[in-house]
Amino acid sequence: MRDFIAHNAKFVLDWGQLILVLAIIIGLGIIYMLGRKNKYHLPRGIFGWLSAVLSLFFIVLSVLAFVGITMEKPHTGMILQQFEEIKGGKAPNLSFKLVSDDTEHDISEYFGDVILVNIWATWCPPCLAEMPLIQALYDDVKQENIAFVMISTDESAEVAQAYFRKNEFTLPIYMLDGPLPEPYSSRILPTTYVISPNGKLVSKHAGMANYNSDSFRKFLRDLSAEPVLSVR
Protein backbone atom coordinates (compact mmCIF):
# COMPACT_ATOMS: atom_id res chain seq x y z
CA MET A 1 0.00 0.00 0.00
CA ARG A 2 2.78 2.42 0.88
CA ASP A 3 4.51 1.82 -2.46
CA PHE A 4 1.25 2.55 -4.32
CA ILE A 5 0.72 5.75 -2.35
CA ALA A 6 4.34 6.67 -3.07
CA HIS A 7 3.66 6.59 -6.79
CA ASN A 8 0.42 8.58 -6.62
CA ALA A 9 0.44 10.43 -3.28
CA LYS A 10 -1.66 13.51 -4.10
CA PHE A 11 -4.24 11.64 -6.17
CA VAL A 12 -4.56 8.83 -3.60
CA LEU A 13 -5.06 11.25 -0.72
CA ASP A 14 -7.72 13.22 -2.59
CA TRP A 15 -9.66 10.43 -4.29
CA GLY A 16 -8.41 7.05 -3.06
CA GLN A 17 -10.97 6.43 -0.33
CA LEU A 18 -13.92 7.43 -2.51
CA ILE A 19 -12.74 5.19 -5.35
CA LEU A 20 -12.32 2.25 -2.97
CA VAL A 21 -15.80 2.72 -1.49
CA LEU A 22 -17.22 2.63 -5.02
CA ALA A 23 -15.17 -0.49 -5.75
CA ILE A 24 -16.54 -2.22 -2.64
CA ILE A 25 -20.10 -1.31 -3.61
CA ILE A 26 -19.56 -2.65 -7.14
CA GLY A 27 -18.11 -5.89 -5.77
CA LEU A 28 -21.05 -6.38 -3.44
CA GLY A 29 -23.44 -5.60 -6.30
CA ILE A 30 -21.84 -8.27 -8.48
CA ILE A 31 -22.17 -10.88 -5.74
CA TYR A 32 -25.81 -9.91 -5.18
CA MET A 33 -26.60 -10.15 -8.90
CA LEU A 34 -24.98 -13.58 -9.13
CA GLY A 35 -27.17 -15.05 -6.42
CA ARG A 36 -30.31 -12.94 -6.28
CA LYS A 37 -32.55 -15.49 -8.03
CA ASN A 38 -30.99 -18.58 -6.50
CA LYS A 39 -31.67 -20.46 -3.28
CA TYR A 40 -29.99 -18.86 -0.27
CA HIS A 41 -28.69 -16.17 -2.66
CA LEU A 42 -25.78 -18.40 -3.66
CA PRO A 43 -24.27 -18.28 -7.16
CA ARG A 44 -24.92 -21.09 -9.62
CA GLY A 45 -22.40 -22.97 -11.76
CA ILE A 46 -18.61 -22.81 -11.94
CA PHE A 47 -18.64 -19.43 -13.66
CA GLY A 48 -20.95 -17.99 -11.03
CA TRP A 49 -18.86 -19.29 -8.13
CA LEU A 50 -15.60 -18.14 -9.74
CA SER A 51 -17.03 -14.67 -10.31
CA ALA A 52 -18.26 -14.53 -6.72
CA VAL A 53 -14.90 -15.59 -5.28
CA LEU A 54 -13.03 -13.06 -7.41
CA SER A 55 -15.49 -10.34 -6.40
CA LEU A 56 -15.06 -11.25 -2.73
CA PHE A 57 -11.27 -11.16 -3.11
CA PHE A 58 -11.59 -7.76 -4.82
CA ILE A 59 -13.72 -6.49 -1.92
CA VAL A 60 -11.21 -7.70 0.69
CA LEU A 61 -8.33 -6.00 -1.14
CA SER A 62 -10.34 -2.79 -1.43
CA VAL A 63 -11.13 -2.83 2.30
CA LEU A 64 -7.44 -3.37 3.17
CA ALA A 65 -6.43 -0.58 0.80
CA PHE A 66 -9.04 1.73 2.36
CA VAL A 67 -7.63 1.00 5.83
CA GLY A 68 -4.07 1.55 4.57
CA ILE A 69 -4.90 4.93 3.06
CA THR A 70 -6.78 5.96 6.18
CA MET A 71 -3.73 5.16 8.33
CA GLU A 72 -1.26 6.91 6.00
CA LYS A 73 -3.38 9.93 5.14
CA PRO A 74 -2.88 12.11 8.26
CA HIS A 75 0.91 12.05 8.20
CA THR A 76 1.26 12.26 4.42
CA GLY A 77 -1.31 15.03 4.21
CA MET A 78 0.53 16.95 6.92
CA ILE A 79 3.81 16.72 5.01
CA LEU A 80 2.21 17.89 1.77
CA GLN A 81 0.56 20.77 3.62
CA GLN A 82 3.85 21.75 5.25
CA PHE A 83 5.49 21.97 1.84
CA GLU A 84 2.67 24.08 0.41
CA GLU A 85 3.14 26.50 3.32
CA ILE A 86 6.86 26.97 2.63
CA LYS A 87 6.77 26.65 -1.17
CA GLY A 88 8.38 29.67 -2.76
CA GLY A 89 10.23 30.49 0.45
CA LYS A 90 13.88 29.93 1.27
CA ALA A 91 14.84 26.26 1.46
CA PRO A 92 15.24 25.19 5.11
CA ASN A 93 18.69 24.25 6.32
CA LEU A 94 19.87 20.74 5.48
CA SER A 95 23.32 19.36 6.34
CA PHE A 96 24.79 16.14 4.96
CA LYS A 97 28.04 14.27 4.33
CA LEU A 98 29.45 13.41 0.88
CA VAL A 99 30.18 9.69 1.04
CA SER A 100 33.07 9.70 -1.46
CA ASP A 101 35.35 11.90 0.69
CA ASP A 102 33.49 12.07 4.04
CA THR A 103 33.25 15.89 3.88
CA GLU A 104 30.45 17.87 5.53
CA HIS A 105 28.21 20.08 3.38
CA ASP A 106 25.17 22.31 3.73
CA ILE A 107 22.38 22.92 1.22
CA SER A 108 23.23 26.63 1.14
CA GLU A 109 26.61 25.81 -0.45
CA TYR A 110 24.77 24.91 -3.64
CA PHE A 111 22.67 28.09 -3.82
CA GLY A 112 23.34 29.75 -7.15
CA ASP A 113 22.69 26.44 -8.93
CA VAL A 114 19.45 24.57 -9.43
CA ILE A 115 19.44 21.85 -6.76
CA LEU A 116 17.71 18.49 -7.10
CA VAL A 117 17.44 16.79 -3.71
CA ASN A 118 16.39 13.14 -3.91
CA ILE A 119 15.67 11.15 -0.73
CA TRP A 120 16.06 7.44 -1.48
CA ALA A 121 17.11 4.04 -0.14
CA THR A 122 18.18 0.72 -1.63
CA TRP A 123 15.30 -1.08 0.14
CA CYS A 124 12.74 1.14 -1.67
CA PRO A 125 11.59 -0.41 -5.01
CA PRO A 126 10.29 2.88 -6.51
CA CYS A 127 13.65 4.51 -5.64
CA LEU A 128 15.55 1.83 -7.54
CA ALA A 129 13.14 2.06 -10.47
CA GLU A 130 13.71 5.79 -10.96
CA MET A 131 17.46 5.82 -10.26
CA PRO A 132 18.54 4.97 -13.86
CA LEU A 133 16.36 7.86 -15.07
CA ILE A 134 18.02 10.27 -12.65
CA GLN A 135 21.44 8.98 -13.69
CA ALA A 136 20.57 9.60 -17.35
CA LEU A 137 19.46 13.14 -16.49
CA TYR A 138 22.66 13.71 -14.51
CA ASP A 139 24.77 12.54 -17.45
CA ASP A 140 22.95 15.00 -19.71
CA VAL A 141 23.08 18.13 -17.53
CA LYS A 142 26.04 17.64 -15.16
CA GLN A 143 28.07 20.30 -17.00
CA GLU A 144 25.30 22.84 -16.39
CA ASN A 145 24.48 24.75 -13.22
CA ILE A 146 22.45 21.89 -11.75
CA ALA A 147 23.50 20.15 -8.53
CA PHE A 148 22.31 16.66 -7.58
CA VAL A 149 22.04 15.84 -3.87
CA MET A 150 21.19 12.14 -3.60
CA ILE A 151 20.56 11.46 0.11
CA SER A 152 20.50 7.80 1.11
CA THR A 153 18.44 7.34 4.25
CA ASP A 154 18.00 4.59 6.87
CA GLU A 155 20.94 2.52 5.67
CA SER A 156 24.74 2.49 5.78
CA ALA A 157 27.00 4.31 3.37
CA GLU A 158 28.55 0.96 2.40
CA VAL A 159 25.18 -0.43 1.26
CA ALA A 160 24.40 2.68 -0.81
CA GLN A 161 27.88 2.71 -2.37
CA ALA A 162 27.70 -1.00 -3.22
CA TYR A 163 24.40 -0.47 -5.04
CA PHE A 164 25.82 2.45 -7.05
CA ARG A 165 29.00 0.54 -7.93
CA LYS A 166 27.03 -2.52 -9.03
CA ASN A 167 24.91 -0.40 -11.37
CA GLU A 168 27.78 1.90 -12.44
CA PHE A 169 25.95 5.02 -11.25
CA THR A 170 28.13 8.12 -10.91
CA LEU A 171 25.67 10.33 -9.03
CA PRO A 172 27.09 11.76 -5.78
CA ILE A 173 25.83 9.97 -2.65
CA TYR A 174 25.19 11.90 0.56
CA MET A 175 24.32 10.64 4.04
CA LEU A 176 22.83 12.28 7.14
CA ASP A 177 24.19 12.11 10.68
CA GLY A 178 20.65 11.94 12.04
CA PRO A 179 17.02 11.85 10.89
CA LEU A 180 15.77 14.10 8.12
CA PRO A 181 14.70 17.48 9.53
CA GLU A 182 11.29 18.95 8.80
CA PRO A 183 10.04 19.66 6.22
CA TYR A 184 12.33 17.28 4.31
CA SER A 185 11.11 14.40 6.46
CA SER A 186 8.81 11.99 4.63
CA ARG A 187 7.44 8.48 5.13
CA ILE A 188 7.14 8.26 1.35
CA LEU A 189 10.20 7.29 -0.64
CA PRO A 190 11.47 8.45 -2.98
CA THR A 191 10.81 12.13 -2.38
CA THR A 192 12.37 14.77 -4.60
CA TYR A 193 12.72 18.52 -4.03
CA VAL A 194 13.84 21.15 -6.53
CA ILE A 195 15.42 24.36 -5.24
CA SER A 196 15.95 27.39 -7.47
CA PRO A 197 19.32 29.18 -7.85
CA ASN A 198 17.96 31.78 -5.45
CA GLY A 199 17.53 29.13 -2.76
CA LYS A 200 13.73 28.92 -3.05
CA LEU A 201 11.83 25.65 -2.78
CA VAL A 202 9.91 25.39 -6.03
CA SER A 203 8.67 21.79 -6.20
CA LYS A 204 8.27 18.57 -4.28
CA HIS A 205 7.29 15.17 -5.63
CA ALA A 206 6.56 12.21 -3.35
CA GLY A 207 6.99 8.98 -5.28
CA MET A 208 8.63 7.77 -8.44
CA ALA A 209 8.75 9.98 -11.52
CA ASN A 210 10.51 10.15 -14.88
CA TYR A 211 13.10 12.81 -14.15
CA ASN A 212 14.77 12.17 -17.51
CA SER A 213 11.77 13.46 -19.47
CA ASP A 214 12.15 16.38 -21.87
CA SER A 215 9.63 18.43 -19.89
CA PHE A 216 11.51 18.03 -16.59
CA ARG A 217 14.84 18.75 -18.26
CA LYS A 218 13.38 21.95 -19.70
CA PHE A 219 11.99 22.83 -16.25
CA LEU A 220 15.47 22.58 -14.72
CA ARG A 221 17.12 24.53 -17.52
CA ASP A 222 14.53 27.29 -17.37
CA LEU A 223 15.18 27.57 -13.63
CA SER A 224 18.94 27.70 -14.14
CA ALA A 225 18.50 30.60 -16.59
CA GLU A 226 16.81 32.77 -13.93
CA PRO A 227 18.89 35.73 -12.66
CA VAL A 228 20.52 34.96 -9.32
CA LEU A 229 19.85 37.50 -6.58
CA SER A 230 21.35 37.44 -3.09
CA VAL A 231 20.87 33.94 -1.68
CA ARG A 232 22.94 33.98 1.49
Side-chain angles (χ1 to χ4, degrees):
M1 173 52 58
R2 185 166 296 175
D3 284 349
F4 179 76
I5 293 178
H7 283 280
N8 307 275
K10 187 67 168 63
F11 178 81
V12 170
L13 290 182
D14 290 342
W15 298 100
Q17 289 169 306
L18 176 60
I19 291 173
L20 289 170
V21 168
L22 293 175
I24 293 170
I25 292 173
I26 291 171
L28 290 172
I30 291 173
I31 292 176
Y32 172 76
M33 293 296 292
L34 289 170
R36 66 191 180 106
K37 293 184 179 180
N38 303 327
K39 189 176 181 180
Y40 305 119
H41 297 286
L42 295 176
R44 181 178 298 171
I46 295 178
F47 176 78
W49 276 102
L50 181 61
S51 299
V53 169
L54 290 176
S55 296
L56 184 60
F57 181 68
F58 179 72
I59 291 170
V60 172
L61 286 181
S62 297
V63 170
L64 292 176
F66 184 92
V67 172
I69 292 174
T70 302
M71 294 177 63
E72 292 286 344
K73 188 172 183 177
H75 181 78
T76 304
M78 179 184 68
I79 291 174
L80 293 176
Q81 180 60 35
Q82 286 176 340
F83 177 76
E84 288 302 317
E85 291 174 356
I86 64 171
K87 184 176 180 180
K90 185 176 180 181
N93 183 57
L94 181 63
S95 298
F96 33 76
K97 183 180 294 185
L98 181 60
V99 171
S100 61
D101 61 10
D102 207 37
T103 54
E104 297 282 349
H105 296 271
D106 186 89
I107 196 69
S108 63
E109 296 177 26
Y110 302 90
F111 289 174
D113 294 339
V114 174
I115 311 170
L116 185 148
V117 180
N118 181 262
I119 315 297
W120 68 283
T122 59
W123 46 261
C124 159
C127 300
L128 305 189
E130 75 174 7
M131 195 61 69
L133 303 175
I134 300 178
Q135 177 67 52
L137 173 66
Y138 175 74
D139 291 338
D140 187 42
V141 303
K142 62 184 177 183
Q143 302 301 324
E144 304 176 34
N145 297 326
I146 301 173
F148 288 70
V149 179
M150 310 296 295
I151 299 178
S152 176
T153 185
D154 296 333
E155 61 188 353
S156 68
E158 291 74 19
V159 169
Q161 281 184 306
Y163 167 71
F164 268 39
R165 282 196 298 267
K166 178 182 178 181
N167 292 277
E168 299 182 346
F169 294 147
T170 57
L171 287 155
I173 307 173
Y174 296 85
M175 305 291 292
L176 300 172
D177 289 331
L180 277 165
E182 296 289 352
Y184 298 102
S185 170
S186 176
R187 287 167 63 182
I188 295 177
L189 291 182
T191 295
T192 302
Y193 299 86
V194 176
I195 301 171
S196 76
N198 287 295
K200 309 295 184 182
L201 275 171
V202 294
S203 77
K204 171 185 178 179
H205 181 79
M208 178 185 168
N210 180 9
Y211 293 113
N212 192 37
S213 66
D214 291 338
S215 60
F216 188 73
R217 193 181 295 108
K218 182 179 185 301
F219 167 66
L220 294 182
R221 285 171 170 155
D222 287 347
L223 272 180
S224 68
E226 292 182 359
V228 179
L229 306 175
S230 175
V231 295
R232 299 287 180 178

